[in-house]
Amino acid sequence: MPFFNSYFGSFSDWFNTRRRRWIARHGQKLRLSYWRSLNSKGWLRVMGKLLAGGLMLLFVFYLSVYFGLFGWLPTKRQLKAVQNNMPSEVYTADSVLIGRYFIQDRTNVAYDQIAEPAIKALIATEDVRFYEHDGVDYRSLARVFIKSLLLQEESSGGGSTLSQQLAKNLFPRKSLGFLSMPVNKLREAILARRFEAIYSKEEILGLYLNTVPMGGNVYGIESAARRFFNTSADSLKTEEAAVLIGLLKGTTSYHPKLYPERSKQRRNVVLAQMAKYGYLTPAQKDSLQKLPLELRYNPYSHHSGLAPYFREHLREELGQWAAQQKDADGEPYNLYTDGLKIYTTLDSKMQRHAELALKQRMKALQIDFDKHWGNKAPWTGQPDVLQAAKLRSLRYKRHKAAGLSDEEIDEIFKTPRKMQVFRWRGETTRTISPLDSLRHYLRYLNAGFIAMEPKSGFVRAWVGGINHNYFQYDHVRSRRQVGSTFKPIVYATALEKGIAPCSYFSNDRRTFPEYENWSPRNADDQYGGSYSMLGALSQSINTVSVNVALQAGLPNVVQTAHSLGITGELPSTPSLALGTADASLLEMVAAYAALANGGYQIKPRYLLRITDRQGTVLLDQANPNGQGQHVLSSQTTALLRPMLENVVQEGTGRRLRSEYRLKMGIAGKTGTTQSHADGWFIGFTPELVAGAWVGGEDRRIRFRDLEKGGGANTALPIWGNFFQRLSSDRTYRRYGYSQFAPLPAHLRSYLNCPPYQPPFVEETVVEEDRGIDEFFKRSGRKLKDLFKRKGKKEKDREKDWQKDLEEKLEKRGNGKGRGRWGRED
């Protein structure tokens, strides 16, 4: 305690001494009489000291900003590597940009890719001495200080150069209270000087025009040119460039779509500035100012453009991929800001043909569907259909998550409001309740379509629905009952298990007590006789398909389906043969690809390559790693193909020949599920395999009869229209005439049998003929025994048909390396 008293006592004495000295020396300056007594020399001395003090304060303030006391300031090295947020872009295999993933809609372009009128308009309007200053225009600052601050003239313009505006665009201003304006202005001036030291004037102009906001979420001259004039930055006309540069004064106030007259006036001001500084002649200015404002507005939406369902699927997949990849700084890539270039297998022209084919068919089919039901709702007698649609709607889930009661939600669903409504003849605005909106959309049939190459697995077209803006569920990936499109898998399994193609199977209807007395029915309710595999598959005979599956073994059918890429649970019951299992269109088309390529399992591939914004390859899948596992023998697929060709020639797919006049080789199968809820057609040509599905969002929304609701009427026309369009397009004309390789002669013989055998009918024996009958009795027994022995031999030969064929081919090949099947004739 004595120590502290001694210490603070000494400090107090020292402070009092200093205070008395200061008062003795400067105390008089606190009196008004002192200032009155000063002469001019004294006042000059005081002003000099104040100026020196002020300059010292400004210098200290400058140093504090320069060294980051008010916030981080990038160095020249960091400015040299400056990168702004860029969207990732999706391209087709033929280099067509089909989509972007972004937070800010921006596409960077080089200086030489910007039209010269845009550069001149920018300089004339925003920074006429751009080529003369080093980042800060002191003459402009003086003008602003005198005219704006002292004379209060609003028309004096701003003092910021393009370099300073660039700094503001790249490094947004911070709120620092009353110091915000001086600190931010000084930061921008420092950064502008640094920009000028490391970039050329042209590079600064390019950076500026790539970063400047152009209204809404549009950034940069390239995105703005595409949005407002549906062109590129290097193709802008002078009057178009003037509109975009005029936007810089106020992106909302002069928005050409929202305020066209105001935008036109601002455009003319920009043109006048260009004439004032010699970039236009007076005659050119007058001529351009008289032109009307002609926009080709191209609003970008994730729901619009080519392949929106595919782009959404890709977005989900790439988001996960990017999060697991590290950039040079060790940070995960961001799909929305890192400017990745994504190259896919899609063919832009094929995609467009697919979308048009689907929409054309679905528009006509919807008219038939509405006529079919008339004034009745398709869910008449099933009120739970509407309730189920309500419970799975996003509106209901959002309100439920917010804690609203069912009564409150019901009231919301009953309250009319203005909303955009989809119709095939054009969108419209209507005032309806959300419940009425559900009723409206439940009436629509939807569809999916996909086309891919059977050898490479490259997906060339992907259409997930009729309109992504209103129906966002992707029916390429949705799982539905596959119906008779599953039957080729059953027949392929039978062939693999050694059952001969000319084996005959009973067409009698039977009941399965062990499966709840299930009894398969044929679509035409015709029974009796027997069918070969060729005949049964062509006519899609259900009873025979079940018998084939049972003889091949249901577990074997399940194994074959899984090996072909069909995931999910497959019931090991006889109904599996009729396609009661659920699978996606993507899976089924991939399975048919294996039937088309000789039995090799194929995985659909739609991603070729990903690069970063510098062009560094981050992912490369352009070169396949060879074919997948050989899951079916080439003999099986070779024999199955003519069976599927016969479906098109004589069976349920014959409309492709008679109505669509398709001349290329086609093998395929229609499919229709129970109560006509799903319609399918999957088929392949020598170069493409494609599939179409049609049905309601709810499986209970459907046609009431097979003629209208079957796959041959709903899905097959989409497939036929697509290939008809390809055949008419010069680019794909070869598809219209491509044919399958002929089936070798040694395999053709295994299909050389009648497709159908009628039931045997015994002749009635007349009483008088008993004598004659007695005559033949003994010889009949001998004949019977003879044919019995012969039939047994034929049956044994049928079981070993594949083995015999292989032995014959081995002898024919004579060990010359022709493989399992020897030389094909």
Side-chain angles (χ1 to χ4, degrees):
M1 195 70 177
F3 169 77
F4 286 105
N5 289 335
S6 173
Y7 177 81
F8 283 108
S10 300
F11 176 78
S12 177
D13 293 341
W14 176 85
F15 178 77
N16 288 329
T17 301
R18 291 288 180 179
R19 181 172 61 84
R20 285 193 296 269
R21 287 179 181 176
W22 189 90
I23 292 174
R25 186 174 179 180
H26 301 288
Q28 58 181 340
K29 297 177 182 178
L30 299 177
R31 302 187 188 95
L32 186 60
S33 57
Y34 170 80
W35 297 101
R36 288 177 175 174
S37 64
L38 285 177
N39 54 21
S40 57
K41 198 175 201 180
W43 278 109
L44 285 174
R45 187 169 60 251
V46 169
M47 294 299 294
K49 290 181 178 180
L50 288 174
L51 181 60
L55 291 174
M56 181 61 70
L57 286 176
L58 287 176
F59 182 69
V60 171
F61 177 66
Y62 172 83
L63 291 178
S64 64
V65 173
Y66 187 90
F67 288 107
L69 184 63
F70 293 98
W72 167 78
L73 209 62
T75 63
K76 289 183 179 180
R77 175 180 293 182
Q78 290 168 328
L79 290 179
K80 187 68 177 176
V82 68
Q83 291 181 337
N84 50 308
N85 291 346
M86 286 179 60
S88 294
E89 297 179 335
V90 183
Y91 293 87
T92 60
D94 50 337
S95 303
V96 174
L97 174 66
I98 60 171
R100 302 188 302 280
Y101 305 122
F102 59 83
I103 297 173
Q104 297 176 345
D105 183 5
R106 185 200 317 270
T107 301
N108 283 0
V109 290
Y111 173 81
D112 56 6
Q113 293 177 302
I114 302 173
E116 188 177 359
I119 301 292
K120 293 177 178 178
L122 176 66
I123 294 174
T125 308
E126 298 293 326
D127 191 356
V128 71
R129 280 184 293 278
F130 173 72
Y131 291 105
E132 301 172 14
H133 61 68
D134 59 355
V136 179
D137 188 351
Y138 299 102
R139 288 175 56 184
S140 294
L141 288 177
R143 184 195 68 238
V144 171
F145 177 78
I146 295 173
K147 291 188 175 182
S148 297
L149 298 182
L150 299 182
L151 303 179
Q152 299 294 305
E153 292 184 10
E154 297 182 0
S155 62
S156 63
S160 295
T161 64
L162 288 176
S163 303
Q164 288 172 281
Q165 293 180 44
L166 173 62
K168 183 175 67 173
N169 293 339
L170 291 176
F171 306 98
R173 292 176 172 180
K174 298 181 179 181
S175 176
L176 298 169
F178 71 94
L179 288 176
S180 296
M181 183 57 71
V183 169
N184 286 321
K185 283 290 188 182
L186 186 54
R187 288 179 76 249
E188 290 162 11
I190 294 171
L191 290 177
R193 294 289 300 275
R194 291 181 182 177
F195 273 125
E196 295 276 348
I198 59 179
Y199 288 110
S200 67
K201 289 292 186 177
E202 288 74 18
E203 289 173 329
I204 290 174
L205 286 171
L207 274 173
Y208 179 88
L209 285 172
N210 279 320
T211 59
V212 66
M214 291 285 196
N217 66 342
V218 178
Y219 288 77
I221 192 77
E222 176 70 15
S223 294
R226 188 168 51 238
R227 176 68 60 90
F228 295 109
F229 299 105
N230 196 26
T231 188
S232 56
D234 60 354
S235 301
L236 284 169
K237 300 176 183 177
T238 301
E239 65 273 19
E240 294 171 344
V243 171
L244 299 183
I245 299 303
L247 263 172
L248 302 181
K249 185 174 178 65
T251 55
T252 300
S253 301
Y254 299 102
H255 194 288
K257 180 67 174 176
L258 301 176
Y259 306 105
E261 190 57 37
R262 201 183 294 171
S263 175
K264 180 181 177 182
Q265 293 174 0
R266 178 61 185 166
R267 177 202 70 180
N268 290 345
V269 170
V270 174
L271 293 172
Q273 287 291 106
M274 294 178 70
K276 178 180 179 181
Y277 293 106
Y279 295 120
L280 292 175
T281 65
Q284 289 174 324
K285 179 204 73 171
D286 294 340
S287 176
L288 293 173
Q289 286 181 336
K290 292 176 183 178
L291 293 176
L293 182 66
E294 293 182 356
L295 295 181
R296 295 181 297 279
Y297 194 64
N298 182 34
Y300 180 81
S301 167
H302 293 297
H303 304 302
S304 63
L306 278 179
Y309 291 92
F310 172 75
R311 297 197 317 260
E312 177 60 20
H313 168 68
L314 199 62
R315 183 189 67 81
E316 296 172 2
E317 190 171 297
L318 290 177
Q320 300 174 2
W321 173 85
Q324 299 171 359
Q325 309 300 314
K326 305 294 183 181
D327 60 17
D329 298 325
E331 296 295 324
Y333 281 100
N334 188 315
L335 182 63
Y336 306 98
T337 61
D338 283 344
L340 304 178
K341 305 290 185 184
I342 302 150
Y343 300 91
T344 70
T345 64
L346 254 61
D347 184 295
S348 66
K349 290 184 179 180
M350 276 197 194
Q351 177 68 27
R352 189 170 287 106
H353 285 312
E355 292 182 3
L356 291 174
L358 184 141
K359 289 180 180 180
Q360 180 179 331
R361 176 55 188 159
M362 293 309 297
K363 184 176 181 179
L365 189 65
Q366 189 64 46
I367 294 173
D368 293 342
F369 189 69
D370 292 339
K371 288 180 180 178
H372 177 74
W373 283 98
N375 294 326
K376 290 183 178 180
W379 57 92
T380 298
Q382 304 179 88
D384 55 327
V385 171
L386 184 61
Q387 179 65 13
K390 173 185 171 182
L391 295 180
R392 66 173 178 262
S393 68
L394 292 176
R395 189 188 303 271
Y396 177 86
K397 293 176 181 178
R398 186 169 60 247
H399 291 315
K400 199 67 177 175
L404 273 66
S405 66
D406 286 339
E407 292 76 15
E408 292 172 317
I409 296 175
D410 287 342
E411 186 61 31
I412 291 173
F413 269 84
K414 293 177 182 177
T415 304
R417 62 187 63 196
K418 186 178 291 187
M419 60 180 73
Q420 287 285 112
V421 176
F422 170 79
R423 299 181 306 172
W424 274 115
R425 61 181 180 269
E427 296 179 356
T428 185
T429 302
R430 296 173 59 186
T431 301
I432 58 175
S433 69
L435 198 60
D436 288 334
S437 175
L438 285 178
R439 291 191 183 98
H440 173 76
Y441 290 117
L442 270 176
R443 296 185 67 96
Y444 280 87
L445 294 176
N446 221 301
F449 179 86
I450 185 172
M452 61 184 284
E453 294 178 353
K455 293 183 179 179
S456 66
F458 285 174
V459 174
R460 296 307 189 187
W462 178 311
V463 190
I466 59 176
N467 186 296
H468 191 261
N469 194 26
Y470 296 93
F471 304 91
Q472 295 178 16
Y473 196 49
D474 188 347
H475 291 290
V476 168
R477 296 188 294 158
S478 66
R479 305 184 70 80
R480 299 289 289 244
Q481 277 192 352
V482 296
S484 294
T485 56
F486 192 81
K487 289 177 181 176
I489 298 174
V490 174
Y491 287 77
T493 306
L495 293 173
E496 286 287 290
K497 293 304 175 182
I499 301 174
C502 280
S503 301
Y504 283 89
F505 296 85
S506 171
N507 183 36
D508 293 331
R509 189 174 181 187
R510 60 185 291 195
T511 301
F512 297 86
E514 64 273 33
Y515 296 105
E516 301 178 354
N517 291 322
W518 178 73
S519 179
R521 296 179 54 185
N522 291 330
D524 57 4
D525 269 333
Q526 299 296 313
Y527 306 95
S530 57
Y531 282 88
S532 69
M533 286 194 191
L534 177 68
L537 188 57
S538 299
Q539 301 303 320
S540 199
I541 307 299
N542 289 339
T543 53
V544 173
S545 297
V546 171
N547 290 332
V548 173
L550 291 173
Q551 189 165 335
L554 292 174
N556 295 326
V557 174
V558 171
Q559 182 180 358
T560 300
H562 284 318
S563 68
L564 291 174
I566 297 176
T567 60
E569 185 178 352
L570 299 174
S572 187
T573 61
S575 64
L576 175 65
L578 308 186
T580 55
D582 284 1
S584 70
L585 182 58
L586 185 63
E587 290 175 340
M588 291 302 295
V589 169
Y592 273 63
L595 304 182
N597 66 22
Y600 291 92
Q601 184 189 66
I602 201 75
K603 291 185 178 180
R605 301 176 60 215
Y606 38 80
L607 194 58
L608 289 176
R609 189 171 65 259
I610 301 176
T611 66
D612 62 16
R613 67 174 75 192
Q614 283 82 29
T616 303
V617 177
L618 305 177
L619 178 70
D620 190 353
Q621 297 181 342
N623 297 317
N625 298 320
Q627 291 178 309
Q629 183 182 358
H630 203 183
V631 295
L632 294 175
S633 69
S634 54
Q635 171 186 292
T636 292
T637 56
L639 289 170
L640 190 60
R641 194 199 72 211
M643 299 182 190
L644 293 173
E645 284 186 273
N646 207 50
V647 172
V648 177
Q649 292 299 125
E650 302 176 8
T652 55
R654 57 187 176 274
R655 288 181 66 185
L656 294 174
R657 300 296 190 198
S658 61
E659 182 178 336
Y660 293 94
R661 306 293 180 185
L662 297 179
K663 301 184 183 301
M664 74 282 284
I666 303 172
K669 186 71 186 74
T670 56
T672 308
T673 61
Q674 188 175 8
S675 301
H676 332 111
D678 304 273
W680 295 76
F681 182 79
I682 304 176
F684 55 89
T685 68
E687 298 183 67
L688 280 180
V689 56
W693 167 90
V694 173
E697 293 282 353
D698 190 297
R699 300 185 191 213
R700 293 165 288 186
I701 307 298
R702 57 205 177 201
F703 282 101
R704 289 171 289 185
D705 61 71
L706 179 61
E707 182 182 358
K708 294 183 176 67
N713 184 59
T714 59
L716 180 144
I718 298 174
W719 199 100
N721 195 341
F722 171 73
F723 278 91
Q724 195 177 56
R725 289 174 177 274
L726 288 190
S727 302
S728 301
D729 189 326
R730 181 175 299 177
T731 306
Y732 310 104
R733 190 161 293 173
R734 69 182 188 279
Y735 287 99
Y737 302 99
S738 60
Q739 299 295 327
F740 294 115
L743 191 66
H746 58 272
L747 292 183
R748 285 199 299 270
S749 62
Y750 286 93
L751 295 172
N752 188 18
C753 55
Y756 174 71
Q757 287 185 345
F760 176 75
V761 180
E762 290 189 26
E763 293 184 5
T764 304
V765 179
V766 184
E767 189 71 22
E768 300 86 88
D769 293 337
R770 285 189 174 183
I772 299 175
D773 182 60
E774 189 68 26
F775 174 78
F776 287 107
K777 191 172 183 180
R778 287 188 299 272
S779 57
R781 290 196 193 99
K782 294 181 181 180
L783 288 171
K784 186 176 181 181
D785 291 341
L786 178 63
F787 282 110
K788 186 176 181 180
R789 288 194 298 272
K790 184 178 180 181
K792 184 178 180 181
K793 290 180 181 178
E794 290 293 335
K795 189 173 182 180
D796 291 340
R797 188 179 298 114
E798 181 181 282
K799 289 182 180 179
D800 297 332
W801 70 278
Q802 286 190 330
K803 186 176 180 182
D804 293 343
L805 178 63
E806 291 178 14
E807 291 176 354
K808 291 177 183 177
L809 294 176
E810 185 176 354
K811 292 178 181 178
R812 181 183 299 177
N814 197 25
K816 293 182 180 179
R818 297 298 298 182
R820 180 178 177 186
W821 302 107
R823 181 173 56 85
E824 295 185 354
D825 297 327

